[in-house]
mmCIF file of all heavy atoms in Angstrom:
data_model
loop_
_atom_site.group_PDB
_atom_site.id
_atom_site.type_symbol
_atom_site.label_atom_id
_atom_site.label_comp_id
_atom_site.label_asym_id
_atom_site.label_seq_id
_atom_site.Cartn_x
_atom_site.Cartn_y
_atom_site.Cartn_z
ATOM 1 N N SER A 1152 0.846 -1.192 0.000
ATOM 2 C CA SER A 1152 0.000 0.000 0.000
ATOM 3 C C SER A 1152 0.881 1.242 0.000
ATOM 4 O O SER A 1152 1.795 1.359 0.824
ATOM 5 C CB SER A 1152 -0.903 0.003 1.228
ATOM 6 O OG SER A 1152 -1.686 1.180 1.284
ATOM 7 N N ILE A 1153 0.587 2.148 -0.930
ATOM 8 C CA ILE A 1153 1.335 3.397 -1.024
ATOM 9 C C ILE A 1153 0.479 4.530 -0.470
ATOM 10 O O ILE A 1153 -0.722 4.612 -0.759
ATOM 11 C CB ILE A 1153 1.708 3.711 -2.489
ATOM 12 C CG1 ILE A 1153 2.625 2.610 -3.043
ATOM 13 C CG2 ILE A 1153 2.402 5.067 -2.591
ATOM 14 C CD1 ILE A 1153 2.931 2.759 -4.525
ATOM 15 N N SER A 1154 1.112 5.389 0.306
ATOM 16 C CA SER A 1154 0.418 6.565 0.839
ATOM 17 C C SER A 1154 1.376 7.753 0.793
ATOM 18 O O SER A 1154 2.584 7.583 0.603
ATOM 19 C CB SER A 1154 -0.066 6.314 2.267
ATOM 20 O OG SER A 1154 1.016 6.012 3.128
ATOM 21 N N ARG A 1155 0.815 8.937 0.963
ATOM 22 C CA ARG A 1155 1.658 10.131 0.973
ATOM 23 C C ARG A 1155 1.169 11.084 2.049
ATOM 24 O O ARG A 1155 -0.037 11.211 2.275
ATOM 25 C CB ARG A 1155 1.684 10.814 -0.388
ATOM 26 C CG ARG A 1155 0.356 11.267 -0.932
ATOM 27 C CD ARG A 1155 0.466 11.698 -2.411
ATOM 28 N NE ARG A 1155 1.324 12.870 -2.585
ATOM 29 C CZ ARG A 1155 1.860 13.217 -3.752
ATOM 30 N NH1 ARG A 1155 1.642 12.484 -4.833
ATOM 31 N NH2 ARG A 1155 2.603 14.313 -3.837
ATOM 32 N N ASP A 1156 2.128 11.722 2.702
ATOM 33 C CA ASP A 1156 1.844 12.717 3.730
ATOM 34 C C ASP A 1156 2.307 14.059 3.179
ATOM 35 O O ASP A 1156 3.505 14.356 3.181
ATOM 36 C CB ASP A 1156 2.588 12.354 5.022
ATOM 37 C CG ASP A 1156 2.252 13.300 6.172
ATOM 38 O OD1 ASP A 1156 1.883 14.460 5.909
ATOM 39 O OD2 ASP A 1156 2.385 12.868 7.325
ATOM 40 N N ASP A 1157 1.360 14.851 2.719
ATOM 41 C CA ASP A 1157 1.716 16.111 2.087
ATOM 42 C C ASP A 1157 2.294 17.118 3.073
ATOM 43 O O ASP A 1157 3.056 18.003 2.689
ATOM 44 C CB ASP A 1157 0.493 16.697 1.382
ATOM 45 C CG ASP A 1157 0.054 15.865 0.184
ATOM 46 O OD1 ASP A 1157 0.883 15.091 -0.326
ATOM 47 O OD2 ASP A 1157 -1.115 15.969 -0.227
ATOM 48 N N ALA A 1158 1.942 16.995 4.336
ATOM 49 C CA ALA A 1158 2.496 17.905 5.338
ATOM 50 C C ALA A 1158 3.972 17.636 5.594
ATOM 51 O O ALA A 1158 4.741 18.548 5.924
ATOM 52 C CB ALA A 1158 1.708 17.795 6.641
ATOM 53 N N GLU A 1159 4.354 16.352 5.431
ATOM 54 C CA GLU A 1159 5.739 15.963 5.688
ATOM 55 C C GLU A 1159 6.536 15.751 4.412
ATOM 56 O O GLU A 1159 7.720 15.415 4.472
ATOM 57 C CB GLU A 1159 5.764 14.670 6.524
ATOM 58 C CG GLU A 1159 5.139 14.812 7.897
ATOM 59 C CD GLU A 1159 5.930 15.742 8.798
ATOM 60 O OE1 GLU A 1159 7.174 15.835 8.627
ATOM 61 O OE2 GLU A 1159 5.311 16.392 9.661
ATOM 62 N N ASN A 1160 5.881 15.941 3.254
ATOM 63 C CA ASN A 1160 6.559 15.717 1.962
ATOM 64 C C ASN A 1160 7.193 14.330 1.900
ATOM 65 O O ASN A 1160 8.354 14.164 1.470
ATOM 66 C CB ASN A 1160 7.614 16.804 1.716
ATOM 67 C CG ASN A 1160 7.020 18.181 1.751
ATOM 68 O OD1 ASN A 1160 5.961 18.431 1.147
ATOM 69 N ND2 ASN A 1160 7.663 19.074 2.482
ATOM 70 N N THR A 1161 6.442 13.360 2.350
ATOM 71 C CA THR A 1161 6.949 11.992 2.456
ATOM 72 C C THR A 1161 5.944 10.997 1.877
ATOM 73 O O THR A 1161 4.740 11.140 2.086
ATOM 74 C CB THR A 1161 7.245 11.643 3.921
ATOM 75 O OG1 THR A 1161 8.219 12.550 4.443
ATOM 76 C CG2 THR A 1161 7.785 10.223 4.050
ATOM 77 N N MET A 1162 6.477 10.035 1.164
ATOM 78 C CA MET A 1162 5.676 8.942 0.628
ATOM 79 C C MET A 1162 6.071 7.661 1.360
ATOM 80 O O MET A 1162 7.231 7.505 1.760
ATOM 81 C CB MET A 1162 5.936 8.779 -0.871
ATOM 82 C CG MET A 1162 5.258 7.572 -1.490
ATOM 83 S SD MET A 1162 5.597 7.373 -3.238
ATOM 84 C CE MET A 1162 7.367 7.166 -3.281
ATOM 85 N N TYR A 1163 5.098 6.774 1.506
ATOM 86 C CA TYR A 1163 5.346 5.521 2.206
ATOM 87 C C TYR A 1163 4.963 4.328 1.335
ATOM 88 O O TYR A 1163 4.077 4.417 0.482
ATOM 89 C CB TYR A 1163 4.533 5.461 3.502
ATOM 90 C CG TYR A 1163 4.840 6.583 4.451
ATOM 91 C CD1 TYR A 1163 4.026 7.710 4.518
ATOM 92 C CD2 TYR A 1163 5.960 6.518 5.280
ATOM 93 C CE1 TYR A 1163 4.312 8.745 5.384
ATOM 94 C CE2 TYR A 1163 6.251 7.559 6.149
ATOM 95 C CZ TYR A 1163 5.436 8.669 6.193
ATOM 96 O OH TYR A 1163 5.724 9.702 7.047
ATOM 97 N N LEU A 1164 5.634 3.224 1.596
ATOM 98 C CA LEU A 1164 5.258 1.942 0.988
ATOM 99 C C LEU A 1164 5.139 0.933 2.119
ATOM 100 O O LEU A 1164 6.153 0.521 2.698
ATOM 101 C CB LEU A 1164 6.300 1.486 -0.033
ATOM 102 C CG LEU A 1164 6.053 0.112 -0.661
ATOM 103 C CD1 LEU A 1164 4.754 0.123 -1.468
ATOM 104 C CD2 LEU A 1164 7.225 -0.310 -1.552
ATOM 105 N N GLN A 1165 3.918 0.586 2.442
ATOM 106 C CA GLN A 1165 3.677 -0.448 3.449
ATOM 107 C C GLN A 1165 3.634 -1.801 2.748
ATOM 108 O O GLN A 1165 2.831 -2.007 1.826
ATOM 109 C CB GLN A 1165 2.347 -0.194 4.177
ATOM 110 C CG GLN A 1165 1.986 -1.265 5.186
ATOM 111 C CD GLN A 1165 2.938 -1.297 6.370
ATOM 112 O OE1 GLN A 1165 3.288 -0.245 6.910
ATOM 113 N NE2 GLN A 1165 3.360 -2.493 6.780
ATOM 114 N N MET A 1166 4.514 -2.683 3.143
ATOM 115 C CA MET A 1166 4.622 -3.991 2.513
ATOM 116 C C MET A 1166 4.293 -5.072 3.532
ATOM 117 O O MET A 1166 4.980 -5.187 4.552
ATOM 118 C CB MET A 1166 6.042 -4.200 1.971
ATOM 119 C CG MET A 1166 6.482 -3.123 0.994
ATOM 120 S SD MET A 1166 8.084 -3.460 0.240
ATOM 121 C CE MET A 1166 9.146 -3.278 1.674
ATOM 122 N N ASN A 1167 3.250 -5.822 3.260
ATOM 123 C CA ASN A 1167 2.814 -6.906 4.147
ATOM 124 C C ASN A 1167 2.925 -8.246 3.432
ATOM 125 O O ASN A 1167 2.979 -8.301 2.194
ATOM 126 C CB ASN A 1167 1.366 -6.677 4.583
ATOM 127 C CG ASN A 1167 1.181 -5.389 5.355
ATOM 128 O OD1 ASN A 1167 2.050 -4.973 6.123
ATOM 129 N ND2 ASN A 1167 0.039 -4.755 5.166
ATOM 130 N N ASN A 1168 2.937 -9.292 4.215
ATOM 131 C CA ASN A 1168 3.021 -10.654 3.665
ATOM 132 C C ASN A 1168 4.137 -10.755 2.618
ATOM 133 O O ASN A 1168 3.922 -11.228 1.499
ATOM 134 C CB ASN A 1168 1.677 -11.060 3.051
ATOM 135 C CG ASN A 1168 1.614 -12.520 2.686
ATOM 136 O OD1 ASN A 1168 2.370 -13.341 3.208
ATOM 137 N ND2 ASN A 1168 0.727 -12.859 1.765
ATOM 138 N N LEU A 1169 5.295 -10.311 3.005
ATOM 139 C CA LEU A 1169 6.416 -10.277 2.065
ATOM 140 C C LEU A 1169 6.840 -11.683 1.653
ATOM 141 O O LEU A 1169 6.785 -12.627 2.454
ATOM 142 C CB LEU A 1169 7.589 -9.524 2.680
ATOM 143 C CG LEU A 1169 7.439 -7.995 2.629
ATOM 144 C CD1 LEU A 1169 8.315 -7.324 3.668
ATOM 145 C CD2 LEU A 1169 7.770 -7.492 1.229
ATOM 146 N N LYS A 1170 7.272 -11.781 0.406
ATOM 147 C CA LYS A 1170 7.694 -13.042 -0.180
ATOM 148 C C LYS A 1170 9.146 -12.926 -0.628
ATOM 149 O O LYS A 1170 9.625 -11.825 -0.905
ATOM 150 C CB LYS A 1170 6.805 -13.374 -1.386
ATOM 151 C CG LYS A 1170 5.328 -13.430 -1.059
ATOM 152 C CD LYS A 1170 4.501 -13.686 -2.311
ATOM 153 C CE LYS A 1170 3.010 -13.738 -1.973
ATOM 154 N NZ LYS A 1170 2.185 -14.003 -3.171
ATOM 155 N N PRO A 1171 9.836 -14.058 -0.737
ATOM 156 C CA PRO A 1171 11.236 -13.990 -1.192
ATOM 157 C C PRO A 1171 11.380 -13.263 -2.528
ATOM 158 O O PRO A 1171 12.390 -12.569 -2.739
ATOM 159 C CB PRO A 1171 11.617 -15.461 -1.310
ATOM 160 C CG PRO A 1171 10.769 -16.136 -0.281
ATOM 161 C CD PRO A 1171 9.454 -15.405 -0.314
ATOM 162 N N GLU A 1172 10.387 -13.372 -3.393
ATOM 163 C CA GLU A 1172 10.482 -12.705 -4.699
ATOM 164 C C GLU A 1172 10.332 -11.186 -4.603
ATOM 165 O O GLU A 1172 10.496 -10.486 -5.603
ATOM 166 C CB GLU A 1172 9.451 -13.274 -5.675
ATOM 167 C CG GLU A 1172 8.030 -13.309 -5.155
ATOM 168 C CD GLU A 1172 7.654 -14.674 -4.575
ATOM 169 O OE1 GLU A 1172 8.501 -15.289 -3.870
ATOM 170 O OE2 GLU A 1172 6.510 -15.109 -4.820
ATOM 171 N N ASP A 1173 10.010 -10.675 -3.429
ATOM 172 C CA ASP A 1173 9.988 -9.226 -3.221
ATOM 173 C C ASP A 1173 11.379 -8.672 -2.913
ATOM 174 O O ASP A 1173 11.545 -7.447 -2.815
ATOM 175 C CB ASP A 1173 9.044 -8.859 -2.067
ATOM 176 C CG ASP A 1173 7.604 -9.201 -2.345
ATOM 177 O OD1 ASP A 1173 7.126 -8.950 -3.472
ATOM 178 O OD2 ASP A 1173 6.937 -9.751 -1.433
ATOM 179 N N THR A 1174 12.345 -9.556 -2.761
ATOM 180 C CA THR A 1174 13.715 -9.119 -2.510
ATOM 181 C C THR A 1174 14.206 -8.245 -3.658
ATOM 182 O O THR A 1174 14.162 -8.652 -4.822
ATOM 183 C CB THR A 1174 14.641 -10.327 -2.345
ATOM 184 O OG1 THR A 1174 14.269 -11.036 -1.154
ATOM 185 C CG2 THR A 1174 16.096 -9.898 -2.251
ATOM 186 N N ALA A 1175 14.658 -7.040 -3.325
ATOM 187 C CA ALA A 1175 15.069 -6.085 -4.352
ATOM 188 C C ALA A 1175 15.603 -4.832 -3.686
ATOM 189 O O ALA A 1175 15.429 -4.635 -2.475
ATOM 190 C CB ALA A 1175 13.891 -5.721 -5.252
ATOM 191 N N VAL A 1176 16.205 -3.997 -4.500
ATOM 192 C CA VAL A 1176 16.466 -2.626 -4.084
ATOM 193 C C VAL A 1176 15.249 -1.806 -4.518
ATOM 194 O O VAL A 1176 14.853 -1.862 -5.686
ATOM 195 C CB VAL A 1176 17.745 -2.069 -4.716
ATOM 196 C CG1 VAL A 1176 17.948 -0.611 -4.306
ATOM 197 C CG2 VAL A 1176 18.952 -2.912 -4.294
ATOM 198 N N TYR A 1177 14.680 -1.087 -3.576
ATOM 199 C CA TYR A 1177 13.488 -0.298 -3.830
ATOM 200 C C TYR A 1177 13.870 1.174 -4.001
ATOM 201 O O TYR A 1177 14.581 1.745 -3.163
ATOM 202 C CB TYR A 1177 12.491 -0.474 -2.686
ATOM 203 C CG TYR A 1177 11.781 -1.801 -2.752
ATOM 204 C CD1 TYR A 1177 12.449 -2.993 -2.465
ATOM 205 C CD2 TYR A 1177 10.443 -1.884 -3.127
ATOM 206 C CE1 TYR A 1177 11.802 -4.214 -2.551
ATOM 207 C CE2 TYR A 1177 9.780 -3.094 -3.211
ATOM 208 C CZ TYR A 1177 10.472 -4.256 -2.919
ATOM 209 O OH TYR A 1177 9.830 -5.474 -3.014
ATOM 210 N N TYR A 1178 13.368 1.749 -5.088
ATOM 211 C CA TYR A 1178 13.698 3.122 -5.437
ATOM 212 C C TYR A 1178 12.457 4.010 -5.386
ATOM 213 O O TYR A 1178 11.394 3.639 -5.886
ATOM 214 C CB TYR A 1178 14.285 3.194 -6.844
ATOM 215 C CG TYR A 1178 15.586 2.465 -7.008
ATOM 216 C CD1 TYR A 1178 15.615 1.133 -7.405
ATOM 217 C CD2 TYR A 1178 16.800 3.126 -6.783
ATOM 218 C CE1 TYR A 1178 16.819 0.465 -7.566
ATOM 219 C CE2 TYR A 1178 17.999 2.461 -6.944
ATOM 220 C CZ TYR A 1178 18.000 1.136 -7.338
ATOM 221 O OH TYR A 1178 19.192 0.473 -7.485
ATOM 222 N N CYS A 1179 12.644 5.179 -4.850
ATOM 223 C CA CYS A 1179 11.615 6.211 -4.862
ATOM 224 C C CYS A 1179 11.720 7.001 -6.165
ATOM 225 O O CYS A 1179 12.831 7.278 -6.644
ATOM 226 C CB CYS A 1179 11.830 7.135 -3.659
ATOM 227 S SG CYS A 1179 10.723 8.552 -3.576
ATOM 228 N N ASN A 1180 10.579 7.342 -6.727
ATOM 229 C CA ASN A 1180 10.538 8.089 -7.987
ATOM 230 C C ASN A 1180 9.535 9.224 -7.879
ATOM 231 O O ASN A 1180 8.460 9.060 -7.305
ATOM 232 C CB ASN A 1180 10.148 7.145 -9.123
ATOM 233 C CG ASN A 1180 9.866 7.870 -10.423
ATOM 234 O OD1 ASN A 1180 8.728 8.196 -10.727
ATOM 235 N ND2 ASN A 1180 10.902 8.116 -11.193
ATOM 236 N N ALA A 1181 9.907 10.347 -8.459
ATOM 237 C CA ALA A 1181 8.978 11.475 -8.591
ATOM 238 C C ALA A 1181 8.901 11.835 -10.065
ATOM 239 O O ALA A 1181 9.928 12.051 -10.710
ATOM 240 C CB ALA A 1181 9.458 12.665 -7.772
ATOM 241 N N LEU A 1182 7.692 11.861 -10.595
ATOM 242 C CA LEU A 1182 7.470 12.209 -11.998
ATOM 243 C C LEU A 1182 6.794 13.574 -12.048
ATOM 244 O O LEU A 1182 5.651 13.731 -11.597
ATOM 245 C CB LEU A 1182 6.587 11.164 -12.674
ATOM 246 C CG LEU A 1182 6.212 11.435 -14.135
ATOM 247 C CD1 LEU A 1182 7.457 11.527 -14.999
ATOM 248 C CD2 LEU A 1182 5.266 10.353 -14.645
ATOM 249 N N LEU A 1183 7.501 14.543 -12.595
ATOM 250 C CA LEU A 1183 7.015 15.924 -12.623
ATOM 251 C C LEU A 1183 7.317 16.533 -13.973
ATOM 252 O O LEU A 1183 8.484 16.622 -14.351
ATOM 253 C CB LEU A 1183 7.681 16.727 -11.501
ATOM 254 C CG LEU A 1183 7.278 18.194 -11.388
ATOM 255 C CD1 LEU A 1183 5.783 18.309 -11.083
ATOM 256 C CD2 LEU A 1183 8.099 18.891 -10.314
ATOM 257 N N TYR A 1184 6.274 16.884 -14.706
ATOM 258 C CA TYR A 1184 6.418 17.513 -16.024
ATOM 259 C C TYR A 1184 7.351 16.698 -16.917
ATOM 260 O O TYR A 1184 8.255 17.238 -17.550
ATOM 261 C CB TYR A 1184 6.954 18.932 -15.900
ATOM 262 C CG TYR A 1184 6.131 19.806 -14.988
ATOM 263 C CD1 TYR A 1184 6.743 20.601 -14.029
ATOM 264 C CD2 TYR A 1184 4.745 19.828 -15.063
ATOM 265 C CE1 TYR A 1184 6.005 21.411 -13.183
ATOM 266 C CE2 TYR A 1184 3.998 20.619 -14.211
ATOM 267 C CZ TYR A 1184 4.635 21.416 -13.277
ATOM 268 O OH TYR A 1184 3.899 22.200 -12.432
ATOM 269 N N ALA A 1185 7.119 15.392 -16.950
ATOM 270 C CA ALA A 1185 7.846 14.447 -17.797
ATOM 271 C C ALA A 1185 9.303 14.268 -17.376
ATOM 272 O O ALA A 1185 10.080 13.632 -18.094
ATOM 273 C CB ALA A 1185 7.796 14.856 -19.268
ATOM 274 N N THR A 1186 9.688 14.775 -16.229
ATOM 275 C CA THR A 1186 11.033 14.569 -15.700
ATOM 276 C C THR A 1186 10.959 13.596 -14.524
ATOM 277 O O THR A 1186 10.123 13.764 -13.641
ATOM 278 C CB THR A 1186 11.666 15.882 -15.241
ATOM 279 O OG1 THR A 1186 11.781 16.759 -16.364
ATOM 280 C CG2 THR A 1186 13.048 15.641 -14.645
ATOM 281 N N ASN A 1187 11.834 12.606 -14.556
ATOM 282 C CA ASN A 1187 11.909 11.630 -13.475
ATOM 283 C C ASN A 1187 13.040 11.978 -12.519
ATOM 284 O O ASN A 1187 14.163 12.262 -12.949
ATOM 285 C CB ASN A 1187 12.156 10.231 -14.042
ATOM 286 C CG ASN A 1187 10.892 9.595 -14.575
ATOM 287 O OD1 ASN A 1187 9.995 9.233 -13.822
ATOM 288 N ND2 ASN A 1187 10.810 9.484 -15.889
ATOM 289 N N TYR A 1188 12.728 11.933 -11.248
ATOM 290 C CA TYR A 1188 13.720 12.102 -10.195
ATOM 291 C C TYR A 1188 13.776 10.794 -9.408
ATOM 292 O O TYR A 1188 12.743 10.154 -9.177
ATOM 293 C CB TYR A 1188 13.341 13.262 -9.273
ATOM 294 C CG TYR A 1188 13.200 14.578 -9.989
ATOM 295 C CD1 TYR A 1188 11.965 14.994 -10.489
ATOM 296 C CD2 TYR A 1188 14.296 15.412 -10.179
ATOM 297 C CE1 TYR A 1188 11.830 16.192 -11.155
ATOM 298 C CE2 TYR A 1188 14.166 16.620 -10.840
ATOM 299 C CZ TYR A 1188 12.940 17.000 -11.329
ATOM 300 O OH TYR A 1188 12.817 18.198 -11.989
ATOM 301 N N TRP A 1189 14.998 10.436 -8.987
ATOM 302 C CA TRP A 1189 15.198 9.142 -8.331
ATOM 303 C C TRP A 1189 15.952 9.270 -7.024
ATOM 304 O O TRP A 1189 16.821 10.135 -6.868
ATOM 305 C CB TRP A 1189 16.008 8.214 -9.243
ATOM 306 C CG TRP A 1189 15.319 7.863 -10.520
ATOM 307 C CD1 TRP A 1189 15.452 8.478 -11.723
ATOM 308 C CD2 TRP A 1189 14.389 6.785 -10.714
ATOM 309 N NE1 TRP A 1189 14.659 7.853 -12.661
ATOM 310 C CE2 TRP A 1189 13.991 6.812 -12.064
ATOM 311 C CE3 TRP A 1189 13.854 5.810 -9.881
ATOM 312 C CZ2 TRP A 1189 13.095 5.904 -12.608
ATOM 313 C CZ3 TRP A 1189 12.960 4.903 -10.417
ATOM 314 C CH2 TRP A 1189 12.588 4.956 -11.760
ATOM 315 N N GLY A 1190 15.632 8.359 -6.111
ATOM 316 C CA GLY A 1190 16.454 8.186 -4.937
ATOM 317 C C GLY A 1190 17.538 7.166 -5.214
ATOM 318 O O GLY A 1190 17.602 6.582 -6.303
#
C-alpha cells in the first residue's frame, strides 16, 4: 500500500506478507512535467 503525507513531503510503501520474490532494491521516484527524479 502506497500513501503520501503532504504535510511531511513523504511517501510511504507499506509492505505486508512479504515473499522472497519481493527481494530487491526499492527506489523512490517522482514524476514531474515528464522529468523523473530518483532516490
Side-chain angles (χ1 to χ4, degrees):
S1152 177
I1153 298 174
S1154 60
R1155 59 191 296 162
D1156 184 334
D1157 292 340
E1159 297 294 331
N1160 303 314
T1161 300
M1162 174 181 61
Y1163 301 98
L1164 176 63
Q1165 177 67 44
M1166 303 186 292
N1167 299 325
N1168 190 21
L1169 281 159
K1170 303 177 180 181
E1172 52 264 41
D1173 296 317
T1174 294
V1176 177
Y1177 284 71
Y1178 297 91
C1179 176
N1180 171 266
L1182 177 60
L1183 180 62
Y1184 305 133
T1186 298
N1187 280 290
Y1188 302 92
W1189 296 95

